[in-house]
């Protein structure tokens, strides 16, 4: 092409630049910071700030803002990795422009350019080979096929492959987003974060609570306005009601995922998508590539079968010498070098191995030695012997000897008359621990499927060595494309080994498994696995694999060890168990406070909480759930989590709210009737400090009664919440009404510490003032402590005899 033609193509945008970037930073921030729930919190916070209630605003808004920033930070981190994906190298390429060869960057290639392709060059565009010698392309990065593919004039060269031999010219027909590499890059950059089952359940619960809270808020705020509450009071009530939404669960999940990721990093698994820590525990099907995942990509010598003329020791020495003599080492010569003795020969001629020849040879002073594929050497009837080895998944080579030359009169490689010497069987090297890991997965009910670009028979034999059942025989990718979805699903469901499968077919197999209700993990190392990794719920890459595959993966196995998934699964199950326990605590608090607010509002006794008292949830919910999550033991995912939550939360909410409402009403009436001319001055002074009103004000008695009743309710609710932890992790049979006793005594010790901290809150004036409590008061303890004993007995009976479940028909 001429410079003018190139400039015109550049102006038209026909340049080799891949498209498909993820969404911008502004959109990420808007989505995460200004979510529906956060907008409600921000409005409430702004109103509280305008009224000078700074601590109330901080408590109401702070945690939601932290959650938003954590989510946005995680998505921005993922965006940077995806936008940086590069399937193609940055090395300059050679193009023919204005009649001469010029070097340009890959992104400066335009449609219609002619590129020079030589050994060692990466192909950066799609198009046919125009002329020159035969070219051999390594397409393993794209297809998973380990052997180079010979290309002649007119054959397609695909971007992302590597020229390993030959020299020629290629037409740049498809470039940028239209090329194979461009399409793969754009697909890899697509954001496809899956919500885990636990995240979906929590999201459902939070949305349900939000709807109920909005309905309840409308009714209570309307009542407050009709009763003439001040604007400050209405805003405070709204802040308390918004605090019922357990948005702290999202923060807890973020913390648990981060801690789990840190744990797994020390065990050989780098977590790049934080929810993968939990997601991997739900996996029931693992799809894996063969080369680089099940195997190391290396070959080992499996056996030598002499064919006559030489004994085994002589054959071994000859093969060792042949391997040491080769000037272009490959996997075969490396395997022979590591297993056999011998010294390098002095040679007069050598023909290196190429995929087009499928043999290599050397000529010494006495003999010519050839090593290659048996069918390429065509010596005698060795078919049955070769087939016997191949059926075991072994690669078979033939060692032959000759007295002739390696080239014809024109100097081209040519086979002389050959004498067979021995068959050499090579095996793919399994990664250490693969068989043990597969056995562990099977014991946990996880199915393994192998998706490879290699020959199905070879893959099936290797799978058998790793301990996998072939599932009725291997299936070749050539027979998959014509199947409709129903037939495809049936085939995928019963098959274990797939060979000769293209990247698109791997992706379709993963989609089929998901369509059948499976939770799928895909393990791969090459670009050909990237689309399947993106399509699976959990994408796992080997550290030694391609950069693209590592970047799109949710988890990277830093030691290239298949076994690292086992502790990842255990850690995920521990997190699920911990978050499950935390959901019991969160929802028990939400349901109980909601019922108390409704009951007290219906009784016309003011409002039972202030925003500062809601801050006590740090003790009743925040600290306990953090430690319960950290201390949890790994358990299988609870398929009936929502049902079990209802069985626990409903009895707790009804019983606790009933006692709490009774305590609030009793103290409200007691304090209201307790002020008279004989009331001690210090008592009046204390309530004046807490209410901010003078004893002579008309609203003083109602405000004092509200604060006194709130103090009693908060005291009872905090102590009951601490004891509730003992129901979830009972140290003694006395507390084992909901679940069996546990050996771990840390939860019981935590309860003791929390009670001590709460007592300090009551008795230290600075703390009690901050949380809007009157401090230690005799009437409060005289009511709360006996009520706590009765509450414990009632809740124990409700759990042991399933009273509420029977009334509601839950069991």
């Amino acid at each position: 092409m001429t410079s003018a033609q190139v400039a015109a193509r550049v102006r038209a945008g026909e340049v080799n630049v891949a498209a498909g970037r993820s969404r911008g930073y502004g959109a990420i921030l808007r989505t995460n910071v200004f979510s529906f729930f956060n907008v409600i919190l921000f409005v409430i916070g702004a109103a509280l700030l305008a009224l000078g209630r700074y601590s109330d605003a901080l408590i109401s808004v702070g945690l939601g803002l932290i959650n938003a920033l954590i989510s946005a930070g995680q998505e921005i981190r993922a965006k940077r990795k995806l936008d940086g994906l590069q399937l193609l190298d940055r090395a300059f390429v050679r193009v023919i422009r204005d009649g001469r060869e010029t070097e340009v960057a890959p992104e400066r290639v335009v449609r219609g350019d002619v590129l020079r392709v030589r050994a060692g060059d990466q192909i950066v565009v799609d198009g046919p080979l125009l002329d020159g010698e035969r070219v051999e392309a390594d397409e393993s990065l794209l297809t998973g096929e380990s052997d180079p593919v010979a290309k002649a004039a007119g054959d397609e060269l695909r971007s992302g492959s590597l020229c390993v031999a030959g020299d020629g010219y290629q037409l740049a027909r498809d470039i940028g987003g239209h090329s194979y590499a461009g399409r793969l890059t754009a697909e890899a950059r697509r954001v496809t974060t899956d919500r885990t089952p636990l995240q979906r359940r929590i999201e459902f619960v939070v949305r349900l609570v939000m709807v109920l809270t909005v309905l309840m808020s409308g009714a209570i705020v309307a009542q407050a306005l009709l009763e003439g509450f001040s604007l400050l009071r209405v805003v405070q009530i709204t802040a308390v009601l918004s605090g019922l939404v357990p948005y702290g669960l999202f923060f807890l999940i973020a913390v648990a995922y981060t801690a789990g990721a840190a744990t797994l990093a020390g065990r050989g698994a780098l977590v790049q998508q934080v929810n993968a820590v939990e997601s991997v525990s739900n996996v029931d099907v693992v799809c894996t590539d063969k080369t680089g995942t099940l195997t190391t990509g290396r070959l080992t010598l499996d056996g030598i079968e002499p064919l006559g003329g030489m004994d085994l020791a002589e054959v071994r020495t000859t093969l060792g010498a042949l391997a040491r003599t080769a000037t272009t080492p490959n996997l075969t010569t490396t395997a022979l070098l590591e297993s056999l003795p011998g010294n390098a020969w002095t040679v007069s001629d050598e023909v290196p191995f190429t995929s087009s020849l499928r043999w290599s040879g050397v000529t010494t002073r006495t003999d010519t030695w050839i090593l290659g594929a048996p069918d390429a050497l065509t010596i005698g009837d060795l078919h049955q012997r070769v087939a016997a080895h191949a059926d075991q998944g072994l690669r078979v080579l033939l060692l032959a000897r000759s007295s002739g030359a390696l080239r014809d009169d024109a100097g081209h490689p040519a086979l002389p008359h050959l004498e067979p010497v021995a068959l050499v069987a090579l095996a793919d090297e399994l990664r250490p621990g693969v068989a043990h890991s597969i056995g562990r997965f099977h014991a946990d009910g996880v199915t393994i499927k192998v998706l490879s670009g290699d020959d199905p028979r070879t893959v099936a034999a290797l799978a058998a060595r790793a301990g996998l059942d072939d599932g009725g025989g291997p299936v070749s990718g050539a027979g998959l494309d014509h199947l409709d979805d129903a037939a495809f699903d049936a085939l995928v469901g019963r098959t274990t080994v797939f060979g000769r499968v293209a990247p698109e077919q791997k992706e379709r197999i993963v989609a089929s498994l998901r369509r059948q209700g499976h939770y799928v993990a895909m393990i791969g190392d090459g670009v050909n696995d990237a689309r399947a990794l993106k399509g699976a719920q959990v994408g796992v890459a080997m550290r030694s694999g391609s950069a693209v595959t590592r970047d799109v993966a949710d988890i990277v196995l830093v030691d290239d060890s298949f076994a690292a998934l086992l502790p990842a699964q255990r850690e995920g199950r521990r997190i699920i168990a911990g978050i499950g326990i935390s959901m019991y605590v969160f929802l028990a608090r939400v349901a109980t406070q909601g019922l108390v607010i409704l009951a007290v509002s219906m009784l016309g006794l003011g409002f039972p909480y202030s925003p500062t008292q809601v801050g006590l949830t740090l003790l009743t919910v925040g600290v306990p759930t953090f430690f319960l999550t950290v201390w949890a033991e790994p358990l299988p995912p609870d398929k009936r989590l929502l049902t079990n939550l209802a069985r626990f939360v409903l009895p707790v909410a009804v019983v606790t709210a009933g006692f709490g409402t009774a305590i609030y009403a009793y103290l409200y009436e007691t304090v209201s009737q307790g002020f008279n001319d004989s009331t001690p001055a210090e008592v009046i002074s204390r309530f004046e400090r807490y209410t901010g009103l003078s004893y002579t004000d008309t609203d003083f008695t109602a405000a004092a009664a509200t604060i006194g009743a709130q103090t009693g309710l908060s005291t009872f609710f905090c102590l009951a919440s601490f004891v509730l932890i003992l129901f979830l992790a009972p140290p003694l049979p006395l507390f084992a009404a909901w679940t069996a006793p546990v050996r771990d005594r840390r939860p019981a010790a935590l309860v003791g510490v929390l009670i001590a901290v709460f007592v300090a809150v009551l008795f230290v004036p600075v703390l009690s003032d901050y949380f809007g409590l009157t401090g230690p008061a005799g009437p409060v303890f005289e009511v709360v402590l006996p009520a706590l004993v009765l509450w414990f007995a009632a809740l124990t009976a409700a759990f042991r005899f399933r009273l509420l479940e029977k009334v509601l028909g839950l069991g």
Side-chain angles (χ1 to χ4, degrees):
M1 297 184 69
T2 65
S3 298
Q5 291 174 318
V6 170
R9 297 288 170 90
V10 171
R11 288 193 297 271
E14 297 178 337
V15 292
N16 192 39
V17 178
R21 303 187 72 81
S22 56
R23 63 176 179 160
Y25 294 108
I28 292 173
L29 290 174
R30 285 195 303 272
T31 302
N32 288 279
V33 177
F34 297 103
S35 63
F36 171 73
F37 181 63
N38 282 348
V39 168
I40 295 175
L41 287 180
F42 294 157
V43 171
I44 295 171
L48 288 169
L49 286 173
L51 295 169
R53 308 293 292 193
Y54 303 113
S55 61
D56 291 351
L58 179 62
I59 291 173
S60 299
V61 179
L63 194 56
L65 185 59
I66 290 173
N67 288 340
L69 294 177
I70 290 176
S71 300
Q74 291 170 351
E75 190 167 346
I76 288 172
R77 176 176 174 270
K79 168 187 169 56
R80 287 176 175 173
K81 290 185 69 67
L82 292 176
D83 287 349
L85 286 179
Q86 292 289 344
L87 175 57
L88 300 178
D89 293 336
R90 306 297 302 166
F92 278 54
V93 297
R94 299 170 185 82
V95 296
I96 309 300
R97 291 179 181 174
D98 296 322
R100 66 178 184 272
E101 193 173 291
T102 304
E103 287 190 343
V104 299
E107 63 270 17
R108 302 302 299 171
V109 174
V110 301
R111 188 173 63 83
D113 261 329
V114 174
L115 289 82
R116 175 80 177 274
V117 178
R118 300 188 303 182
D121 292 343
Q122 186 181 44
I123 311 300
V124 299
V125 296
D126 291 355
L129 184 65
L130 295 178
D131 57 16
E133 299 180 5
R134 293 169 64 90
V135 166
E136 293 185 11
D138 179 359
E139 299 182 341
S140 59
L141 197 65
L142 308 178
T143 65
E145 173 59 64
S146 55
D147 294 329
V149 180
K151 303 286 186 177
D155 289 342
E156 184 81 0
L157 292 177
R158 290 198 292 181
S159 52
S161 59
L162 182 69
C163 178
V164 294
D167 191 340
Y169 294 91
Q170 179 197 16
L171 174 67
R173 187 193 63 225
D174 298 326
I175 62 173
H178 299 287
S179 69
Y180 190 80
R183 294 195 301 272
L184 275 178
T185 302
E187 182 69 17
R189 286 176 175 171
R190 181 171 53 90
V191 178
T192 56
T193 301
D194 279 318
R195 293 284 186 185
T196 67
L198 183 60
Q199 285 178 316
R200 289 196 296 268
R201 290 170 185 165
I202 290 178
E203 198 169 79
F204 167 77
V205 170
V206 170
R207 289 182 181 275
L208 178 62
V209 173
M210 285 178 63
V211 171
L212 296 176
T213 300
V214 168
L215 295 176
M216 186 170 65
S217 299
I220 292 176
V221 171
Q223 180 186 5
L225 293 172
L226 292 175
E227 293 178 1
F229 282 14
S230 65
L231 176 61
L232 173 61
R233 190 65 176 146
V234 170
V235 173
Q236 287 178 325
I237 291 173
T238 306
V240 171
L241 291 171
S242 67
L244 291 178
V245 179
Y247 51 88
L249 275 173
F250 293 121
F251 179 73
L252 185 65
I253 285 180
V255 171
Y257 285 168
T258 302
T263 299
L264 293 179
R267 299 180 180 178
L270 175 63
V271 178
Q272 302 192 128
Q273 186 66 41
V274 289
N275 67 356
V277 177
E278 178 245 320
S279 191
V280 72
S281 67
N282 298 289
V283 169
D284 60 358
V285 176
V286 172
C287 296
T288 177
D289 189 19
K290 177 186 75 70
T291 304
T293 51
L294 293 181
T295 66
T296 62
R298 293 159 49 90
L299 296 176
T300 60
L301 179 63
D302 184 83
I304 300 173
E305 181 184 351
L307 299 176
M310 293 179 64
D311 60 26
L312 180 59
E314 290 179 294
V315 173
R316 290 172 57 85
T317 302
T318 300
L319 284 169
L322 183 61
R324 286 169 173 80
T325 303
T327 58
T328 55
N330 52 38
L331 292 177
T332 297
T333 58
T334 300
L336 297 177
L337 272 170
E338 292 177 349
S339 303
L340 301 175
N343 298 312
W345 293 321
T346 300
V347 300
S348 58
D349 192 13
E350 179 184 9
V351 174
F353 177 85
T354 62
S355 59
S356 56
L357 291 176
R358 300 175 64 207
W359 58 268
S360 64
V362 296
T363 299
T364 68
R365 288 176 298 176
T366 57
D367 294 293
T368 294
W369 295 95
I370 309 291
L371 183 66
D375 56 335
L377 303 186
T378 60
I379 302 176
D381 186 11
L382 299 174
H383 176 74
Q384 291 185 347
R385 293 187 179 187
V386 172
H389 291 292
D391 289 342
Q392 300 176 44
L394 302 174
R395 303 188 183 194
V396 186
L397 298 175
L398 175 62
L399 175 65
R401 180 168 53 187
S402 176
S403 58
L406 288 171
R407 301 177 187 275
D408 59 19
D409 295 338
H412 298 125
L415 287 171
H417 176 73
L418 299 175
E419 172 193 350
V421 174
L423 290 177
V424 183
L426 300 170
D428 287 297
E429 182 181 59
L430 283 176
R431 287 195 178 276
V434 163
H436 174 71
S437 300
I438 288 176
R440 289 278 302 278
F441 275 120
H442 281 164
D444 288 343
V446 177
T447 301
I448 309 292
K449 294 183 182 292
V450 183
L451 318 181
S452 175
D454 283 343
D455 183 273
R457 294 179 304 169
T458 302
V459 180
L462 182 92
R465 288 172 52 203
L468 286 173
D469 183 1
D470 66 4
V475 170
S476 174
L480 298 178
D481 290 337
H482 70 281
L483 298 177
D484 59 24
D485 284 346
F488 191 86
D489 289 350
L491 179 64
V492 168
R494 66 174 181 265
T495 303
T496 300
V497 176
F498 296 84
R500 300 290 187 212
V501 287
E504 297 82 2
Q505 293 171 327
K506 291 185 179 183
E507 183 182 32
R508 189 183 177 194
I509 290 171
V510 169
S512 171
L513 290 167
R514 294 190 63 167
R515 191 163 55 242
Q516 296 177 61
H518 293 292
Y519 208 91
V520 184
M522 175 68 199
I523 308 174
D525 67 332
V527 176
N528 60 302
D529 301 314
R531 294 179 61 169
L533 261 68
K534 295 284 286 186
Q537 281 103 335
V538 184
V540 183
M542 297 293 186
R543 186 190 64 174
S544 60
S546 70
V548 170
T549 310
R550 291 196 305 270
D551 285 343
V552 304
D554 301 310
I555 298 175
V556 176
L557 304 181
V558 294
D559 296 324
D560 288 341
S561 175
F562 192 74
L565 280 183
L566 294 168
Q569 186 180 58
R570 178 180 174 85
E571 184 67 16
R573 291 184 173 181
R574 188 192 63 75
I575 288 175
I576 288 178
I579 297 294
I581 292 177
S582 299
M583 287 184 70
Y584 286 103
V585 177
F586 265 102
L587 295 183
R589 189 266 300 180
V590 169
T592 301
Q593 287 187 334
L595 290 177
V596 169
I597 291 171
L598 282 175
V600 170
S601 299
M602 292 175 63
L603 292 174
L605 301 178
F607 196 76
Y609 298 101
S610 72
T612 52
Q613 290 162 0
V614 173
L616 289 170
T617 56
L618 179 65
L619 292 179
T620 61
V621 176
V623 173
T625 53
F626 174 79
F627 283 103
L628 290 174
T629 301
V630 171
W631 294 336
E633 291 295 323
L635 296 172
D638 185 358
K639 303 297 185 181
R640 304 180 63 207
L641 178 61
L642 295 180
T643 301
N644 289 333
L645 278 171
R647 293 177 185 275
F648 179 85
V649 170
L650 288 177
V652 170
V654 171
V655 174
T656 309
F659 276 90
T661 302
I663 290 171
Y664 182 92
Y666 175 80
L667 290 175
Y668 187 94
E669 294 298 330
T670 299
V671 175
S672 296
Q673 298 171 10
F675 287 103
N676 53 50
D677 294 337
S678 62
T679 303
E682 64 271 14
V683 174
I684 293 176
S685 176
R686 179 193 300 170
F687 276 100
E688 284 180 335
R689 186 175 80 252
Y690 281 102
T691 62
L693 300 171
S694 171
Y695 181 61
T696 58
D697 291 340
T698 56
D699 295 332
F700 173 78
T701 300
T706 299
I707 290 178
Q710 287 177 344
T711 299
L713 176 62
S714 294
T715 302
F716 168 76
F717 187 71
C718 286
L719 294 176
S721 297
F722 301 151
V723 176
L724 198 62
I725 297 172
L726 300 180
F727 279 102
L728 291 169
L732 299 169
L734 174 66
F735 300 97
W738 169 253
T739 188
V742 298
R743 296 182 179 179
D744 192 351
R745 293 294 182 265
R746 289 176 297 182
L750 175 64
V751 170
V753 172
L754 291 173
I755 291 175
V757 172
F758 179 71
V759 170
V761 169
L762 287 178
F763 282 84
V764 177
V766 174
L767 296 176
S768 60
D769 288 349
Y770 178 81
F771 287 107
L773 305 175
T774 61
V780 169
F781 292 111
E782 291 170 3
V783 173
V784 169
L785 294 181
L788 192 65
V789 174
L790 294 175
W791 166 84
F792 177 80
L795 191 57
T796 298
F799 281 147
R800 290 192 184 279
F801 302 108
R802 299 188 175 184
L803 299 179
L804 200 62
E805 295 178 35
K806 293 177 180 178
V807 171
L808 299 177
L810 295 177

